[in-house]
Every structure is written in structure tokens, then in C-alpha cells.
Amino acid sequence: FIAADAIRQHLPWLKFTISEFKRNFLIPLWNPYIFSGQPNIANIQTLSFNPFIGLFLLLPLFAAWNIFIIIQIPLAITFTYLFSRSLKVAKIPSLFAGIAFVFSSYFIYWFEIGIVNHTILWTPLILFSIQELFEKQKFIYLILLIMSSTFMILSGHIQTSVFIFILAFIFY
């Protein structure tokens, strides 16, 4: 039943947001098509500021949505691999960690929604940035930490973002 959210909520919100971007070159502040109207930009799940919004501006909606959903897998595996390698785990076990993360029950459960997984997939990159910042103390890892944290927030699921920030603080 969880897949109904994508079809009944996320795709219509996204379709309206993208159509306003393309047609009027405006960030849609208000969605007049839901009841008597609803703040569109205040709903972070409309993906108005998602890092992958460019896909939806360049491609047809369903093609972009498919790429948006599928891209979760290589990103999560790559970020988990990087984090595992920063913890001095060997290459094959690090790859296995990425695959295990992608096939975890939480990731699979939220896979077709996209918003939750696009929020959680930044977790290993945030932890990698913290780990590398302490070990190497280079400015680039601070920038990576800021960017990955920002992308996580803009991915659209605030509750997951809060949990990840708590985890990152504990890891710190």
C-alpha cells in the first residue's frame, strides 16, 4: 500500500512543480489544485529543491522518475563503499556493505517512493565526511559534509533527516 503515496501524492505534486518551472519559470509557491489550495513550496516532499530536480526539467516526467528511483542504488552503494573504506575495511567487504545497505529491509520498503531513500542514502557520505575530516583535516571534507547534509535535507523527508543528524552527532 505504500506505493500509492508515490502515485497519489508525490507524482502529482512533482508534475505541478515541474510544469510551473517549465511554463512560467517560477517556483510554485501555491498549489491551487488541492482542495482550496495548499502551500506548495512549504511541502518539502514536492521536491522543489531536490538535487535531482534537473532530471525532471530535462526529461519527460516518467522517464525522469524512473531514473530518480534507479539512481538510488548506485549512489547508496558508492557512498557506503566510501564510508567503509574510510574505516579501513577491505574493498570486497566494503562493496558487500554497500550492497547490504541497498538490500536492507528499510531501503527496499521505501524504494519505490524515492523521497525517503534519497534522504537516507546521504548518510554514509555524511559519516565518510566526518571520518575524513577528523583524519585528514582538509577543507574539502567540510564542504562535502555541508553539501551532503544539505542534499539530505532537500531530498524531502524531514523525519529521516532528523534521525540522520542525531546519528551523525553521535558518530562525531
Side-chain angles (χ1 to χ4, degrees), residues 93-141:
S94 295
L95 182 61
F96 182 75
I99 293 169
F101 178 52
V102 166
F103 288 105
S104 66
S105 61
Y106 188 85
F107 207 88
I108 294 296
Y109 183 75
W110 293 105
F111 184 72
E112 55 207 8
I113 298 293
I115 292 172
V116 177
N117 280 355
H118 269 278
T119 303
I120 200 169
L121 69 81
W122 298 101
T123 307
L125 191 61
I126 290 169
L127 299 178
F128 167 77
S129 302
I130 292 170
Q131 178 72 22
E132 293 297 307
L133 191 59
F134 275 109
E135 282 187 9
K136 299 178 182 165
Q137 298 180 353
K138 291 187 178 179
F139 186 69
I140 189 74
Y141 296 115

Side-chain angles (χ1 to χ4, degrees), residues 45-85:
Q45 292 187 353
T46 60
L47 302 176
S48 297
F49 299 111
N50 188 283
F52 296 100
I53 196 75
L55 286 172
F56 296 96
L57 294 172
L58 298 173
L59 299 171
L61 179 67
F62 291 110
W65 182 260
N66 287 333
I67 293 170
F68 178 73
I69 295 300
I70 298 300
I71 202 167
Q72 300 172 108
I73 294 170
L75 286 175
I77 290 172
T78 303
F79 296 159
T80 305
Y81 178 84
L82 286 173
F83 176 57
S84 297
R85 293 294 292 153

